[in-house]
Amino acid sequence: MEYAVTTHDLTRMFGSFTAVDRININIRPGEIYGFLGPNGSGKTTTMRMLCGLLEPTSGSGSVLGYDLAHESEKIKQNIGYMSQKFSLYDDLTVYENLVFYAGMYSIPYHERKKRIAEMVEMALLVGKESELPANLSGGLKQRLALGCAIMSRPSILFLDEPTSGVSPTSRRMFFKIIQKLANEGTTVMVTTHFMDEAERCHNIAFISGGSLIANDTPDNLKNKVIEGCMVEVDLPDAMDRMKDLESLPFVKECSIHGPLLHVLLDSEKNVAAFDRYTGVKARVITPSLEDVFITLAKLKRKQES
């Protein structure tokens, strides 16, 4: 199978509102595919169509060779899905939750004990089997939810904002588990708004206003989208000075990143001129995926206007 997921002009409308507008994506087996975009951009709607939970309005697609429009039940039987609010049962212990999902996925009785032990170990929950989910930290709950979602050893795993609301340490640990699953052959599609997570994906799709605005590897996106020289500068009153800086002939755009300002110059030759103008020494940096997304979003707005 060349692609685990493929779509052609996949579209979903709610009344007259177009939530997903003619999206074309291809995901290879064993790939971690990041789906990025702001809230309301169409990420979850796309994922729900791919999981067979929502019928497309038009367009076509397949998951694991099954047609989205006509074989949604087969798709549901062969995937793992973890939503932002994955349903763990608070009145069941960690172990009882895993037993419940083993039954839901019809894991044969003679395999259940071994499979549950694997999930406990994978989720780093050894010694916490008798705890109630309510007593677990956000990171442990998240890993328990992942264990439940992959109980059936699915070929493809859909994760919708799986790391929102947990600590950076828990997010990193979660992604290490995802990378291990991908190395073992599981295809993973993950929606996220964390750029550090996106950096770990093999391919990334940026979605805005229901439309796909870019789709490539993280390195290719940085090299293709950002044309010029990116510098970082610690400038007092940066927010107030952005308009002034953007009026300079050699400045293409500015954006705030925490306490720092990222400025895209047309060429590295103009770094010295920029330093003289601001009175502060700028540092040449490799553009981040956040820079890429800001640039893409601005381009899309220009095209629309």
Side-chain angles (χ1 to χ4, degrees):
M1 189 197 314
E2 188 183 359
Y3 295 115
V5 175
T6 184
T7 72
H8 177 69
D9 286 350
L10 193 65
T11 300
R12 175 68 200 202
M13 297 185 72
F14 295 98
S16 60
F17 173 68
T18 305
V20 174
D21 190 9
R22 292 165 297 170
I23 278 186
N24 297 290
I25 58 174
N26 294 302
I27 306 176
R28 291 181 178 85
E31 184 172 76
I32 303 176
Y33 189 88
F35 209 43
L36 278 74
N39 290 337
S41 59
K43 301 190 302 291
T44 297
T45 302
T46 302
M47 187 170 277
R48 287 175 65 81
M49 283 193 283
L50 295 176
C51 289
L53 300 171
L54 199 59
E55 200 175 320
T57 304
S58 62
S60 61
S62 69
V63 174
L64 301 173
Y66 298 116
D67 183 77
L68 286 184
H70 305 109
E71 297 177 292
S72 61
E73 287 308 311
K74 285 183 180 173
I75 291 172
K76 288 176 201 169
Q77 288 162 20
N78 286 279
I79 64 170
Y81 174 60
M82 181 178 160
S83 68
Q84 243 177 305
K85 294 177 180 172
F86 192 91
S87 299
L88 292 172
Y89 292 92
D90 284 336
D91 52 348
L92 299 179
T93 65
V94 165
Y95 191 81
E96 288 165 343
N97 265 285
L98 290 166
V99 169
F100 175 80
Y101 278 95
M104 285 269 290
Y105 286 117
S106 304
I107 309 296
Y109 280 103
H110 66 276
E111 277 188 38
R112 285 189 192 182
K113 199 170 178 183
K114 180 172 178 271
R115 192 74 60 86
I116 289 166
E118 283 175 9
M119 295 304 105
V120 168
E121 190 177 342
M122 177 279 300
L124 306 175
L125 285 163
V126 176
K128 297 190 181 291
E129 293 91 338
S130 59
E131 290 273 5
L132 292 172
N135 299 331
L136 300 176
S137 68
L140 288 174
K141 272 186 195 171
Q142 169 209 56
R143 296 202 296 273
L144 172 58
L146 178 64
C148 293
I150 64 172
M151 179 67 71
S152 63
R153 292 180 182 157
S155 301
I156 184 164
L157 183 59
F158 291 97
L159 305 170
D160 191 11
E161 301 273 1
T163 58
S164 60
V166 299
S167 70
T169 305
S170 292
R171 289 201 288 110
R172 282 193 296 274
M173 200 175 288
F174 187 88
F175 244 76
K176 276 183 183 171
I177 295 169
I178 298 308
Q179 285 170 315
K180 185 172 184 290
L181 289 170
N183 290 340
E184 291 166 357
T186 305
T187 307
V188 181
M189 182 179 189
V190 55
T191 68
T192 182
H193 55 266
F194 294 114
M195 298 299 163
D196 59 325
E197 291 181 352
E199 292 276 4
R200 302 180 191 197
C201 297
H202 299 114
N203 269 285
I204 301 168
F206 279 111
I207 185 171
S208 178
S211 300
L212 209 60
I213 54 174
N215 186 3
D216 213 327
T217 66
D219 286 344
N220 282 350
L221 283 168
K222 290 174 198 173
N223 293 330
K224 287 179 185 173
V225 174
I226 306 289
E227 293 177 357
C229 174
M230 183 69 71
V231 297
E232 185 176 73
V233 60
D234 190 353
L235 205 58
D237 307 320
M239 188 75 82
D240 298 332
R241 296 190 65 181
M242 279 174 67
K243 241 182 194 163
D244 170 42
L245 293 174
E246 283 179 332
S247 69
L248 294 172
F250 50 80
V251 170
K252 297 174 86 171
E253 60 186 53
C254 302
S255 58
I256 295 285
H257 292 250
L260 301 169
L261 191 65
H262 283 199
V263 182
L264 183 60
L265 307 176
D266 60 3
S267 162
E268 196 169 345
K269 289 186 289 190
N270 285 313
V271 175
F274 181 76
D275 289 351
R276 283 195 298 274
Y277 186 83
T278 61
V280 179
K281 189 155 181 61
R283 186 169 69 91
V284 176
I285 59 166
T286 302
S288 67
L289 283 176
E290 197 169 345
D291 293 315
V292 170
F293 186 69
I294 288 166
T295 300
L296 288 169
K298 282 183 178 174
L299 283 172
K300 185 169 188 287
R301 282 199 296 274
K302 274 182 191 170
Q303 287 164 3
E304 286 171 348
S305 61

